[in-house]
Amino acid sequence: MTAARSVRDTHPLLAVLLAQLIYAAGVVAGIALAALLTRPFAEAAPSGPLIAVVTLLQTVAGHAPIFLLLWAWLRFYERRPFASLGLPWGRTAWRWHAAGFGLGAAFIAGWLALQYAMGNLRIEDTFAGSAAGVSALYLLPMFYLSRIGMIAIEEILYRGWLLRTGTARWGTTAGVAVSSAAFALFHFVGPLMLITPLHRFHWVLALNLVLWSVLAALLTLTSGNLWAAMAFHATPLWLTSQVFVVNDGRPQVLAMVLLSQPKASPLMGEAALAGPFTGLPTTLLLALLCAGALAVHLRRRLPVPAGPAGGR
């Protein structure tokens, strides 16, 4: 039997279930491991370097079991390398990551502009939080790396794994639909919700999560890897957690600009529900981005017409 024939795909519906179980089991193990590794720092006085170290430990330890469980399934059942899920390395990876970062930053710029135009955004403070100051120079990159580590597993599970197996069995449209529906479902129901609910359900948020996943799927299909989708997913979360932060009543570690939403609601936008992913303005932004990403994807798939003989 050849190496190509020895590889086998997981059925998409089984992958939907396994994605939930792998994430939930990995989170439980990750919480225990992170608590064990960060215990020596529990009594230390808070400081910028300590926050950086603890953040790195919590991110790596908290997500390593999830990666390990998925790697084991791929290695022993599908018999494929982990990198085959869309993680090639090289210059292309950096270029697509930069493109995803720029798209994520543009999304947040649009979100801020729409919220401000509707009167649902006010500046409360600048350089706020317990870690504001010089430590922000190294904490901001550290927090970005932490976000990449946190969302990488979601992109690998739902775009790298589920999108691929769904597309291979049922075609591109069905693969995008199944992976996007499963991604939205993941945020509301499943074993993980018994441990720590991620979000309170609202139909606009559910719609936005589907649109977000469709956009990430288009980025993945167009680029042939996960780097753009990972950066696009991480950048808005990073920007709205440490740079443009909406005050939700919780203590802030770092907020370059602290904002408030006087007209907060699930329809207008509400930080307590899911930050920039809530509200109909976000729906509009994501619909426009999806349309643009689809146009780019279809254009890249079109065959290039041959030029005239002897032409250049």
Side-chain angles (χ1 to χ4, degrees):
M1 181 178 292
T2 65
R5 292 180 180 177
S6 68
V7 174
R8 54 186 174 186
D9 283 318
T10 304
H11 192 282
L13 297 182
L14 177 58
V16 170
L17 175 61
L18 285 174
Q20 290 270 8
L21 295 176
I22 287 172
Y23 199 98
V27 163
V28 172
I31 290 173
L33 182 59
L36 179 64
L37 293 178
T38 58
R39 185 179 300 171
F41 305 101
E43 303 300 326
S47 65
L50 180 63
I51 293 172
V53 170
V54 171
T55 298
L56 180 61
L57 284 176
Q58 287 179 333
T59 300
V60 174
H63 294 81
I66 309 174
F67 284 96
L68 182 60
L69 289 172
L70 180 58
W71 170 84
W73 180 265
L74 294 172
R75 171 66 177 83
F76 297 107
Y77 179 80
E78 294 196 2
R79 302 168 189 154
R80 71 174 73 247
F82 197 85
S84 67
L85 297 184
L87 297 169
W89 192 248
R91 292 182 180 179
T92 300
W94 288 106
R95 287 198 296 267
W96 281 111
H97 189 96
F101 183 95
L103 189 61
F107 167 75
I108 289 301
W111 176 77
L112 290 170
L114 286 175
Q115 291 292 315
Y116 180 79
M118 295 187 306
N120 195 30
L121 208 61
R122 293 178 183 171
I123 297 177
E124 289 190 358
D125 199 1
T126 56
F127 297 99
S130 59
V134 176
S135 57
L137 295 176
Y138 58 85
L139 282 179
L140 283 175
M142 178 62 69
F143 284 136
Y144 181 74
L145 290 176
S146 176
R147 283 294 176 182
I148 287 291
M150 291 171 63
I151 62 84
I153 191 60
E154 292 185 24
E155 291 303 321
I156 290 169
L157 282 171
Y158 290 95
R159 255 67 70 182
W161 188 35
L162 187 51
L163 173 64
R164 181 190 55 76
T165 190
T167 298
R169 182 173 291 262
W170 295 327
T172 301
T173 301
V176 171
V178 170
S179 62
S180 299
F183 178 76
L185 190 68
F186 160 76
H187 289 79
F188 299 114
V189 299
L192 182 61
M193 300 305 106
L194 301 176
I195 305 167
T196 171
L198 292 180
H199 301 294
R200 186 173 75 253
F201 180 82
H202 190 275
W203 69 269
V204 175
L205 175 58
L207 174 60
N208 290 347
L209 287 171
V210 170
L211 289 173
W212 182 272
S213 185
V214 169
L215 179 54
L218 289 171
L219 290 174
T220 301
L221 292 170
T222 302
S223 64
N225 59 67
L226 293 175
W227 297 112
M230 285 171 57
F232 174 67
H233 195 161
T235 301
L237 294 176
W238 171 65
L239 288 174
T240 55
S241 297
Q242 273 80 45
V243 183
F244 303 103
V245 183
V246 176
N247 189 354
D248 59 2
R250 291 177 292 182
Q252 301 295 333
V253 175
L254 178 61
M256 304 300 289
V257 181
L258 188 63
L259 306 165
S260 62
Q261 290 181 302
K263 300 179 182 179
S265 73
L267 294 179
M268 291 278 286
E270 185 178 17
L273 187 62
F277 302 106
T278 61
L280 292 174
T282 294
T283 309
L284 174 62
L285 282 174
L286 290 174
L288 291 174
L289 289 173
C290 283
L294 178 60
V296 171
H297 176 64
L298 293 176
R299 183 176 180 181
R300 288 175 65 90
R301 289 176 57 191
L302 291 176
V304 179
R312 300 183 66 179

